[in-house]
């Protein structure tokens, strides 16, 4: 009898984009599809973990056996994560969280004014969800993601240290959004490991196996 890699463990995952409202019908978002985070949720569940997936707006179906909470904005994602993070063994922050939100989003749809002057949007920073979790005294094993458009090898390790996490996963190439395959590089204190190009589901299984070996 071979026990599953994450049997008895709990894993919390964020995935997808966030949506920052401007008014009830408009907002700011990004091109994250949620595919990588959902694949990791599926792989963690296959490995025997109890999985909670906190998802921004995506059209993806919930992986079998995964408990899913849908949110829109970064602030909602932050609150949902803090409500779920206690007693988790692993936290994987895959979501492409919007860095800024609109100050004082309008309750009513903004109207075009007669002179054609566009509204002025003011932005303020969103909380860094991963950094918040990584700073908890009783923190789970924290895994971050990075989608850099250049110099990944340098920025990846710097970001791992800045985020204060044991493992930071870089997407090699920035054209990963929406695709079914990917290529990853794992940054850790004692070096880097490349997971060569494969489907996001295969890479998710390899990543879960790597995490299981480290906890
Ligand atoms: O700093 P950057 O946004 O590139 O960091 C990416 C990592 O941090 C990802 O793991 C992402 O999920 C997480 N993050 C977060 N909250 C934010 C911004 C990023 O959890 N507000």
């Amino acid at each position: 009898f071979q026990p599953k890699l994450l049997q008895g463990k709990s894993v919390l995952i964020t995935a997808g984009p966030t949506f920052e409202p401007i008014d009830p019908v408009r907002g700011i978002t990004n091109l994250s599809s949620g595919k990588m985070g959902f694949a990791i949720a599926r792989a963690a569940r296959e490995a025997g973990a109890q999985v909670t997936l906190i998802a921004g707006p995506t059209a993806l179906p919930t992986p079998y056996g995964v408990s899913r909470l849908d949110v829109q904005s970064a602030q909602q994602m932050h609150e949902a994560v803090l409500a779920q993070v206690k007693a988790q063994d692993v936290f994987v922050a895959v979501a492409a969280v919007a860095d800024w939100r609109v100050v004082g989003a309008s309750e009513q749809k903004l109207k075009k004014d007669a002179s054609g002057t566009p509204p002025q949007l003011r932005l303020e920073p969103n909380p860094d969800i991963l950094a918040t979790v990584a700073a908890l005294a009783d923190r789970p094993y924290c895994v971050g993601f990075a989608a850099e458009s250049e110099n990944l090898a340098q920025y990846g390790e710097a970001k791992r240290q800045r985020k204060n996490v044991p493992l930071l996963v870089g997407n090699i190439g920035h054209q990963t959004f929406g695709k079914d395959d990917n290529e990853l590089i794992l940054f850790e204190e004692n070096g880097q490991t490349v997971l060569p190009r494969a489907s996001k589901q295969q890479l998710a299984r390899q990543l879960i196996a790597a995490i299981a070996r480290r906890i």
Side-chain angles (χ1 to χ4, degrees):
F1 171 74
Q2 184 85 18
K4 291 185 175 180
L5 286 176
L6 288 180
Q7 199 71 51
K9 303 289 185 192
S10 56
V11 180
L12 180 64
I13 300 166
T14 64
T18 66
F19 179 92
E20 308 300 323
I22 294 172
D23 69 17
V25 298
R26 305 183 180 96
I28 299 172
T29 188
N30 61 64
L31 290 175
S32 170
S33 64
K35 283 178 181 173
M36 193 68 228
F38 276 57
I40 292 168
R42 188 175 294 111
R45 158 74 197 196
E46 283 169 5
Q50 186 179 316
V51 182
T52 306
L53 174 62
I54 299 178
T58 103
L60 297 174
T62 308
Y64 174 79
V66 166
S67 136
R68 170 178 181 176
L69 297 165
D70 285 316
V71 297
Q72 271 209 321
S73 67
Q75 273 179 307
Q76 290 168 352
M77 185 174 277
H78 190 240
E79 281 160 29
V81 165
L82 290 182
Q84 298 292 327
V85 75
K86 264 207 202 84
Q88 297 283 346
D89 296 298
V90 179
F91 175 55
V92 192
V94 197
V97 182
D99 291 310
W100 308 285
R101 63 172 172 264
V102 176
V103 176
S106 174
E107 304 263 310
Q108 305 299 332
K109 184 180 173 188
L110 297 174
K111 305 303 277 181
K112 275 177 274 194
D113 91 2
S115 69
T117 311
Q120 299 289 310
L121 298 181
R122 275 208 304 131
L123 302 179
E124 63 187 341
N126 273 322
D128 188 319
I129 301 168
L130 176 58
T132 306
V133 173
L136 295 174
D138 190 19
R139 69 179 197 170
Y141 182 84
C142 290
V143 182
F145 264 73
E148 298 291 345
S149 55
E150 54 176 5
N151 284 342
L152 180 63
Q154 266 169 276
Y155 291 156
E157 177 56 19
K159 181 165 289 188
R160 187 191 72 76
Q161 291 180 23
R162 196 168 60 247
K163 296 265 174 180
N164 186 28
V165 295
L167 173 57
L168 187 109
V169 183
N171 292 294
I172 297 178
H174 51 106
Q175 303 291 36
T176 172
F177 279 8
K179 298 266 167 60
D180 288 318
D181 66 344
N182 204 357
E183 187 174 6
L184 300 178
I185 177 164
L186 314 189
F187 294 95
E188 293 174 278
E189 193 175 11
N190 55 9
Q192 306 171 6
T193 315
V194 171
L195 303 183
R197 185 157 292 283
S199 74
K200 287 183 175 175
Q201 195 59 64
Q202 285 169 312
L203 290 169
R205 292 197 188 103
Q206 294 172 38
L207 178 62
I208 285 297
I211 291 170
R213 284 195 294 274
R214 286 155 178 75
I215 63 171

